[in-house]
């Protein structure tokens, strides 16, 4: 079964994100990619700044994308470990 958003066919998860947010740019431009070096990151950030300067209306959907990415990352990395119970001896409490 094929999926479409507007006239565009969704082929990958990245396509789904890009088309559903209506960014017109790949999410990696805004979120980065694992393993990029400092030069690649600087070039990506410069490109993003140029795009936002020419189309400030992208700020709202980009913020939504960033929030979703942070929430997803936090949910997958945060482990809920119960704090150890502090035990006190009765002798220490009565003194």
């Amino acid at each position: 079964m094929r999926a479409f958003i507007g006239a565009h066919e969704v082929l990958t998860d990245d396509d789904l994100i890009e088309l559903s947010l209506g960014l017109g740019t790949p999410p990696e431009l805004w979120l980065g990619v694992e393993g990029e070096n400092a030069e690649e990151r600087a070039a990506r950030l410069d490109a993003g700044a140029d795009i936002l300067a020419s189309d400030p209306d992208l700020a709202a959907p980009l913020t939504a994308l960033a929030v979703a990415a942070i929430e997803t990352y936090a949910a997958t990395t945060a482990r809920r470990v119960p704090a150890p119970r502090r035990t006190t001896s009765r002798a220490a409490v009565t003194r």
Side-chain angles (χ1 to χ4, degrees):
M1 183 170 161
R2 297 178 357 174
F4 289 86
I5 295 178
H8 303 281
E9 184 175 4
V10 176
L11 300 174
T12 65
D13 290 343
D14 288 341
D15 287 346
L16 176 64
I17 293 167
E18 182 180 336
L19 292 169
S20 64
L21 291 174
L23 298 176
T25 57
E28 293 84 10
L29 174 66
W30 308 106
L31 301 175
V33 293
E34 191 172 335
E36 72 181 355
N37 62 36
E39 186 177 313
E40 292 167 335
R41 184 175 193 269
R44 180 178 56 76
L45 293 176
D46 285 344
D50 289 344
I51 291 169
L52 281 175
S54 65
D55 189 359
D57 292 337
L58 276 178
L62 287 176
T63 302
L65 174 63
V67 168
I70 291 167
E71 287 175 343
T72 301
Y73 178 76
T76 59
T77 60
R79 293 185 306 167
R80 297 181 188 257
V81 178
R85 290 191 164 193
R86 292 177 39 171
T87 57
T88 57
S89 65
R90 287 216 179 261
V93 173
T94 58
R95 286 186 190 175

